[in-house]
Amino acid sequence: MAPIQPLRFHEFLIPPFDRLKFTLLFVLATGFGWLLVEGILSSLKTPVIAAFWQLQGMLGTLVMGLVSGLIVGATQWLVLRRYVPDWLWILASAAGYVLFMITLQGWRDLVFAGVANLPLQNLSWLGGILGVLLATLCAFWLGFAQWLVLREYARHSWKWIVVPPIAVLLAFALFTGSLLLSQMGFLLPLDARVLGAGALGTTQAIALCTLGKKATGTSHSPPSLLETAPEMLDYGQVQALAEQLERRLNQAWNQEISSDRPLVYQVGVDATGTIAAYEPLNQSALDYAQQTPLPDLLRPPAEPEGVETPLPLAKFQIRFLPSGSLEIISWRGIPLLWIGFGMIVAVVLVGAIASYLLGRL
């Protein structure tokens, strides 16, 4: 009987094989939150209410920031709660939005009062640049407020503070690119609200996928081969090994499992397709490992003498389902660069469609 290692912690806050699904849902949740905020604010734009809030000054800005933060924070947390179960994310988002909008309003009034005497041809572009710089600086408040929650769940989470400012710059770059293309004769009008929501959601989702998960306990067992072995990074090679592994497991799996829950494992495969190591990721996998072909197919590698670093492994998540089917997912999932680029392209397309539809109304 092959020894089974104790359950260990995941390396990342968002498991790599969940990245694509998480990023898509998080961006949609952010966009839906912004859409709800826009709907609420639009419904309040009657002459009487608009005049009332204009008289309130900073109080109106505070209420707007509070409503925006609570709604967007709540929609994001519906996706994030699986990984960050603390509902304080909603309150932190609300505080961040309030500080962002109040600080931006105060600084903008001061700055624009100072440049009001400039010629109109200079005021237009200078006002745009100053507005982006101010929004970038004020966005640090949102990053800081949300970091106060994330630090309890993620390692090196201080990097999160710069994520909202990066989102502001990304949205500005996309919008500026659209204007430059228009001046060159390529008309690609983009809706600024879609760009803002999409840039924020994409940037935050990708950043969350890079954060390491903070351990909630300690393990006294020595590190396993799956932890010490370097990981194969060639996506094509990993996919080929996944197909080979699936064929081998299907051929060797001839016993039904007694568990009514999936058996989930992390499995490491060397360059020849041989299973070099595996670890259970849930209790059922620990209890019913002998009902899977993994113990029989396990062939721990013999490292050459004088070589301290283990040979690289392709790592996968494998799920043996009670129905008798098998699921194999690359442990690293789709590269984050691909996901991020794909989401930005999708945001630009949605922004262009929204701008076209709104222009016809």
Side-chain angles (χ1 to χ4, degrees):
M1 176 178 175
I4 301 177
Q5 298 292 334
L7 303 179
R8 299 179 184 273
F9 301 105
H10 291 295
E11 180 182 356
F12 291 97
L13 180 66
I14 311 298
F17 39 81
D18 281 349
R19 283 174 174 172
L20 179 59
K21 178 181 177 182
F22 171 79
T23 301
L24 179 59
L25 291 177
F26 193 86
V27 173
L28 289 175
T30 304
F32 182 66
W34 278 45
L35 181 63
L36 288 177
V37 172
E38 180 69 19
I40 292 174
L41 295 181
S42 297
S43 66
L44 298 178
K45 288 182 179 178
T46 63
V48 175
I49 297 179
F52 173 76
W53 285 117
Q54 189 174 6
L55 292 174
Q56 302 308 309
M58 279 296 180
L59 177 59
T61 303
L62 185 150
V63 173
M64 186 181 302
L66 182 63
V67 171
S68 301
L70 287 174
I71 292 176
V72 177
T75 56
Q76 287 183 336
W77 185 70
L78 290 176
V79 178
L80 190 59
R81 61 180 178 175
R82 178 180 173 186
Y83 314 100
V84 180
D86 198 336
W87 58 270
L88 289 176
W89 173 270
I90 302 174
L91 298 183
S93 298
Y97 272 78
V98 167
L99 291 171
F100 167 78
M101 298 188 73
I102 288 180
T103 309
L104 180 62
Q105 181 67 40
W107 285 6
R108 186 171 57 186
D109 292 343
L110 291 175
V111 170
F112 281 92
V115 300
N117 296 325
L118 293 177
L120 290 178
Q121 61 270 24
N122 296 331
L123 185 60
S124 177
W125 66 265
L126 182 60
I129 294 177
L130 288 177
V132 172
L133 291 177
L134 289 177
T136 302
L137 292 174
C138 295
F140 278 99
W141 281 119
L142 178 60
F144 176 76
Q146 292 176 335
W147 166 76
L148 294 176
V149 177
L150 279 179
R151 63 178 179 168
E152 300 297 327
Y153 299 91
R155 293 179 284 111
H156 308 299
S157 57
W158 57 268
K159 295 179 288 186
W160 181 263
I161 298 176
V162 304
V163 172
I166 291 175
V168 173
L169 295 177
L170 176 59
F172 174 70
L174 293 175
F175 191 75
T176 303
S178 170
L179 295 179
L180 292 176
L181 287 176
S182 299
Q183 293 181 357
M184 296 169 58
F186 300 96
L187 294 179
L188 185 63
L190 300 177
D191 187 86
R193 293 161 296 186
V194 173
L195 290 184
L200 179 63
T202 300
T203 307
Q204 287 185 316
I206 296 299
L208 285 166
C209 290
T210 65
L211 292 178
K213 182 178 181 180
K214 182 178 289 187
T216 55
T218 57
S219 174
H220 301 289
S221 59
S224 69
L225 179 62
L226 286 170
E227 293 177 300
T228 59
E231 189 165 359
M232 292 184 189
L233 300 179
D234 187 321
Y235 188 70
Q237 182 184 17
V238 171
Q239 291 302 106
L241 288 173
E243 295 175 2
Q244 182 179 349
L245 176 61
E246 184 174 12
R247 288 194 300 268
R248 294 192 63 192
L249 289 175
N250 279 323
Q251 292 172 0
W253 190 19
N254 52 20
Q255 180 181 357
E256 293 185 0
I257 59 176
S258 304
S259 173
D260 58 353
R261 295 185 177 182
L263 312 185
V264 187
Y265 299 89
Q266 183 186 17
V267 175
V269 177
D270 64 19
T272 66
T274 302
I275 296 177
Y278 71 89
E279 291 184 1
L281 298 180
N282 62 358
Q283 189 61 43
S284 297
L286 185 65
D287 296 336
Y288 298 98
Q290 295 306 310
Q291 296 182 9
T292 74
L294 292 177
D296 295 332
L297 296 177
L298 179 64
R299 299 291 185 273
E303 300 296 341
E305 294 185 5
V307 178
E308 296 182 359
T309 304
L311 296 175
L313 299 177
K315 302 175 184 179
F316 303 96
Q317 184 201 63
I318 296 182
R319 296 167 60 90
F320 294 92
L321 304 179
S323 61
S325 57
L326 185 68
E327 292 181 356
I328 299 180
I329 308 173
S330 171
W331 191 255
R332 284 285 172 183
I334 300 175
L336 271 179
L337 183 62
W338 296 12
I339 297 176
F341 179 77
M343 291 305 305
I344 292 301
V345 171
V347 167
V348 170
L349 290 177
V350 174
I353 294 173
S355 178
Y356 172 78
L357 295 177
L358 291 175
R360 294 178 62 89
L361 294 179

